Amino acid sequence: MVGLGPRKPPSRRGSMADVPKDLLDQINRLEELFTVPQEKLKQITDHFVSELTKGLTVEGGSIPMNPTWCMGFPDGYETGTFLALDMGGTNLRVCEINLPEEKGEFDIIQSKYRMPEELKTGTADELWDYVADCLQQFIEYHHEGEELDQLPLGFTFSYPATQEYIDHGVLQRWTKGFDIEGVEGKDVVPPFEAALAERGVPIKLTALVNDTTGTLIASAYTDTDIKIGCIFGTGCNAAYMEDCGSIPKLAHMKLDPNLPMAINCEWGAFDNEHKVLPRTPYDIIIDKESPRPGQQSFEKMIAGLYLGEIFRLVLVDLHGNPDVKIFDGQDIGKLKKAYSLDASFLAQIEEDPFENLSETQDLFANKLSITTSKPELELCRRLAELIGTRAARLSACGVAAICKKKGISSCHVGADGSVFNKYPHFKARGAQALREILDWPKGKKDPIEILPAEDGSGVGAALISALTLKRCKEGQTAGIRDPEAMLSGIKAAEPKKT
Ligand code: GLC
């Protein structure tokens, strides 16, 4: 067809020419609501810096800033064989990682198991039974008939947990839509180990790891410029290396102030007290209707779990507004279902290459049984851009804040997660926001770059186990509850002679 060439992303204001006044007014209103200008980004970042610092104090703040007992970066020469388990939102992944003698190298075998949706709101027993079954299956399949020593396991548990020890974690609260009763406020390790013991699975838990810490360490294994690990996925969060001397809440432990300690920020909780974030009425609804109102304020504006929902809420609101004609006279029953749209719906709209937005039109027809006019499509496209752009720009505030707090003027940031990897323009928009926040001179290479990370929950978790066993062997036992029991994992971890 003539004239249906690829569109130039992200937006062309010229295409609004035929949009009727009621929709145009709404587009302008949404632009007002969702745009975060440079000055606001800077203000958010400055507040973020003070909140990061506050989270490290004895009194604490809304950002948990959890010490992880991962005490140092890898040097690239870590060795051994480790298991890693990742209990992410959609899948459960089990890996066996071999770190050979060659610097920065790794081999990995893995199996993925679907995480049944019902588990997320089921009982704790169902959860741990399922997890232990998957691990048992993995070991039986890959080590059939072998006499096994205890295999050391790094367990990536990507929720906020206070860790008194590296193999311990009291779940502060569920995030990302999980709501399993009887787990919050408790150490997740004993029921997990009990489920393994019941099955006789030969595993020694050597580290409980957050996905951001795993990402930080895995990325640093192959790139020594990495200073921060981030996840922009279903949830959003970051980890970085602090020095113990800057963590007042650990002062009672009398650790050497120069020792490094990875901090899992849990920055999704930033601004729970609503001081700086420009929340829209839609963000307020998301929060109210979520299983944990008042929690994860920052995350609810930027993470993948919520992007589609923000979009949906705006459209439902506009449809119900008597002054606006959108999807007029149509049955919007499917659109009315909460969480029926995910971030990939927005991503597809933003990726629609056609001037007439025909792919977006198909998307609405197929997924929502809604017929769309060209002006309605233009509004949807603009709305997706606004929501996606806001997410990227606000995310950049967190990265900039860590850099400012630590006085980092140049570094690499390792990032992972579905939004970072798949959402169109997320990287470029985030980079642009960093430039605006940190006022870098134009025309030069960006001194701080957010780059795709190495596999944090596989390689990262294995490396953290390796680092922990290594320092345990050397007698550096801070945060290691039972060094002897920990070392029982070492034999199996020894490098395979090939
Ligand atoms: C949520 C979790 C956090 C995790 C992040 C990314 O914010 O609370 O632990 O790192 O999602 O998965």
Side-chain angles (χ1 to χ4, degrees), residues 157-160 175-176 210-212 231 234-237 264 266 268 296 299:
F157 181 74
S158 305
Y159 306 90
T175 53
K176 300 185 281 198
N210 186 261
D211 51 359
T212 55
I231 301 289
T234 306
C236 177
N237 186 19
N264 162 22
E266 288 296 335
Q296 305 295 98
E299 181 161 89

Side-chain angles (χ1 to χ4, degrees), residues 267-285:
W267 77 18
F270 171 62
D271 205 33
N272 280 349
E273 58 289 330
H274 310 315
K275 285 206 181 126
V276 284
L277 289 175
R279 293 207 307 163
T280 68
Y282 310 106
D283 299 307
I284 293 170
I285 302 177

Side-chain angles (χ1 to χ4, degrees), residues 89-90 114-127 130 177-181:
T90 29
R114 180 129 215 102
M115 183 91 180
E117 201 55 37
E118 320 79 80
L119 269 192
K120 295 184 189 171
T121 50
T123 69
D125 283 347
E126 282 161 4
L127 174 74
Y130 183 77
F178 271 66
D179 192 8
I180 303 170
E181 224 181 290

